[in-house]
Amino acid sequence: MEGSFEQTLQDGKLYRQVNSLIVAHLRDHNLTQAASAAASASRTPLNVDVPPNKLMELVAKGLAVEKEEMLRGSPASALYEFGSSVPSTFGSTQPSRASAIDFSTVQDTKGSSKNFPKHETRHLSEHKNVARCARFSTDGRFVATGSADMSIKLFEVAKIKQMMLPDSKDGPVRPVIRTFYDHIQPINDLDFHPQNTVLISGAKDQTIKFFDFSKLTAKKAFRVIQDTHNVRSISLHPSGDYLLAGTDHPIAHLYDVNTFQCFLSANVPEIGNSGAINQVRYSATGSMYVTASKDGAVRLWDGVSAKCLRSIVSAHGTAEATSAKFTKDERYVLSCGKDSTVKLWDVGTGKLVKQYVGATHMQLRCQAVFNDNEEFVLSIDEPSNEVVIWDALTAERVARWPSNHIGPPRWLEHSPTESAFISCGTDKSIRFWKETL
């Protein structure tokens, strides 16, 4: 009897926790009416204190465990279809060094800019042609680069750091742990599966390819999606079940990773002939995604219905919008364009919040990225071949560093978990930058 009573108490506690997560999730994603109704029906405080995106995080972990258990009981062929499971530490989000910045709280911030910490940089490797793109895994343990030479290199970050130390007794360290060759045209973008040792690539050959990097000798993809257009950009949903492809087509192609079925948005805004997508990125929870297009527009889309929620037309004038990504709290989008500006937009209103100027980028499809705690914004100045850094909150330029590439870098990608980033060069080289302690 006592045991059943204890079980009842535990069940009640779990019930309240679930209700709190649901109410907080609805509230934090601006579904105010639904949040109020759920709070009232479950007698949960509307202002319940729950960490941001906690429900999504728990659901993603639960799905990963469920899928891993399913794979353990499946034949080898099924594992080959899906990609190998990995230790529980892979894909786990490392704690951020600081919470996301609320750009709406401070209006007059002039003169209060922070200093960007000093970094050391090291040449990592070279492709045989232009290094075109890079991506870190969600846990920051791996980084991959893609090239016009049609190859993909996978690096282990711990080995990169070991390589940057003074020579040890163990001799030289090779940070490249895999090299894949399976595309027949240049690589445009990469992404990692959040729970599995799967690296995904999109290329000009109109294909999206899946590589299992747990297999030491595998050089080829174990799954391939054949698209109808040049695949310019890819982004995997946080659950790992859906994949967005930004192509020469003006609407992102949404694929079910398990069935390869393709979906298109049902409500398409007016997009001209120059609406090819340069970049597509999911938000942290997958509730939205953003596209940056050749027509200069930045467009926000519902992550569930694929409906266009907002078009920021001429976000970069008549120049191409080359990159766009959400802040961690999903309240803002950072975009970069060939008009030599980097801009921060309010997701709720579509209004311009900050503008970061002082870096010229008119030729390459340059990226603008936040550092890991979103206190700084990084991009490229093409004429001077420098990495330019701004204080994200004040929009003041706080540093300009020689890139050490021959010619300006084509791509910057910052680690999501620490003060480190990658630069990819038109000079074929890859450089790793990390904070000097």
Side-chain angles (χ1 to χ4, degrees):
M1 189 76 179
E2 186 178 340
S4 63
F5 177 69
E6 286 295 324
Q7 185 62 49
T8 300
L9 288 178
Q10 289 298 321
D11 289 347
K13 183 179 180 181
L14 181 60
Y15 183 77
R16 289 191 295 274
Q17 287 177 325
V18 170
N19 288 339
S20 296
L21 288 167
I22 292 170
V23 169
H25 176 79
L26 294 170
R27 179 198 66 205
D28 293 345
H29 288 81
N30 299 317
L31 299 170
T32 310
Q33 193 172 0
S36 298
S40 177
S42 63
R43 297 182 181 179
T44 303
L46 186 59
N47 62 346
V48 61
D49 186 18
V50 173
N53 301 325
K54 187 65 176 178
L55 180 61
M56 290 293 294
E57 180 185 327
L58 291 172
V59 169
K61 286 181 179 178
L63 289 171
V65 170
E66 183 181 58
K67 195 161 283 186
E68 189 170 342
E69 289 175 349
M70 181 181 70
L71 288 172
R72 282 174 185 160
S74 300
S77 59
L79 274 172
Y80 178 79
E81 282 292 311
F82 182 77
S84 299
S85 59
V86 293
S88 57
T89 53
F90 179 77
S92 58
T93 304
Q94 303 295 319
S96 177
R97 294 188 299 145
S99 58
I101 295 173
D102 185 355
F103 293 94
S104 63
T105 55
V106 183
Q107 297 300 322
D108 185 11
T109 54
K110 191 173 182 181
S112 60
S113 298
K114 297 178 180 178
N115 292 321
F116 191 66
K118 291 183 178 180
H119 283 55
E120 58 180 309
T121 181
R122 178 70 66 89
H123 174 272
L124 283 189
S125 184
E126 281 193 8
H127 284 279
K128 295 176 182 177
N129 206 326
V130 175
R132 293 171 56 84
C133 57
R135 188 73 79 95
F136 282 87
S137 60
T138 54
D139 60 3
R141 288 175 53 196
F142 301 96
V143 64
T145 60
S147 171
D149 68 6
M150 299 167 285
S151 73
I152 299 165
K153 293 191 176 191
L154 178 68
F155 301 83
E156 188 173 351
V157 173
K159 289 188 175 181
I160 295 174
K161 292 177 182 176
Q162 188 180 349
M163 183 191 78
M164 294 178 77
L165 294 172
D167 289 340
S168 64
K169 295 178 182 178
D170 298 329
V173 178
R174 286 183 54 82
V176 180
I177 59 171
R178 303 282 186 278
T179 304
F180 299 108
Y181 305 93
D182 206 19
H183 284 283
I184 57 173
Q185 288 192 42
I187 317 294
N188 287 325
D189 203 3
L190 301 161
D191 204 0
F192 283 86
H193 193 282
Q195 293 97 25
N196 296 77
T197 52
V198 175
L199 176 63
I200 306 170
S201 59
K204 282 190 173 183
D205 59 14
Q206 302 183 2
T207 65
I208 301 165
K209 300 201 172 187
F210 294 68
F211 301 88
D212 185 351
F213 59 89
S214 70
K215 293 178 169 58
L216 296 176
T217 58
K219 302 287 186 184
K220 303 291 185 181
F222 69 88
R223 296 184 80 176
V224 179
I225 294 176
Q226 182 66 56
D227 202 279
T228 53
H229 297 76
N230 167 23
V231 182
R232 293 168 168 267
S233 181
I234 56 172
S235 184
L236 198 63
H237 189 276
S239 69
D241 289 329
Y242 299 96
L243 179 78
L244 285 167
T247 72
D248 285 344
H249 189 264
I251 307 301
H253 298 174
L254 175 62
Y255 287 97
D256 184 314
V257 169
N258 301 299
T259 65
F260 284 10
Q261 188 174 357
C262 182
F263 305 91
L264 292 176
S265 175
N267 80 318
V268 179
E270 286 295 324
I271 303 175
N273 295 327
S274 59
I277 296 171
N278 283 325
Q279 192 165 84
V280 59
R281 291 291 184 263
Y282 269 113
S283 64
T285 63
S287 62
M288 291 179 286
Y289 58 92
V290 61
T291 54
S293 300
K294 286 190 73 173
D295 62 6
V298 172
R299 296 180 175 91
L300 302 169
W301 307 76
D302 186 285
V304 178
S305 67
K307 289 183 177 180
C308 185
L309 302 174
R310 185 182 305 282
S311 290
I312 306 174
V313 179
S314 302
H316 290 274
T318 57
E320 293 184 34
T322 53
S323 74
K325 44 186 59 75
F326 286 93
T327 52
K328 293 175 183 177
D329 62 5
E330 305 184 341
R331 294 177 61 188
Y332 306 95
V333 162
L334 183 74
S335 70
C336 181
K338 286 189 177 181
D339 60 346
S340 298
T341 65
V342 176
K343 297 180 178 182
L344 188 74
W345 306 90
D346 186 294
V347 169
T349 64
K351 291 182 179 179
L352 181 65
V353 178
K354 300 281 181 184
Q355 184 162 292
Y356 308 91
V357 296
T360 301
H361 32 83
M362 302 176 70
Q363 301 300 319
L364 300 173
R365 290 190 185 126
C366 287
Q367 312 295 300
V369 297
F370 282 108
N371 71 327
D372 59 311
N373 59 17
E374 299 185 339
E375 289 183 341
F376 298 95
V377 173
L378 293 76
S379 194
I380 296 299
D381 182 66
E382 291 176 347
S384 66
N385 187 16
E386 292 177 316
V387 178
V388 181
I389 301 115
W390 297 267
D391 182 296
L393 193 57
T394 67
E396 290 184 49
R397 193 171 67 242
V398 295
R400 298 178 72 101
W401 292 346
S403 75
N404 293 301
H405 288 275
I406 300 171
R410 180 186 175 89
W411 194 287
L412 287 181
E413 193 75 17
H414 203 285
S415 168
T417 60
E418 60 179 326
S419 188
F421 64 94
I422 284 276
S423 57
C424 294
T426 51
D427 61 355
K428 310 175 188 178
S429 71
I430 305 155
R431 300 193 70 90
F432 186 82
W433 305 66
K434 76 177 185 71
E435 184 175 347
T436 306
L437 301 176

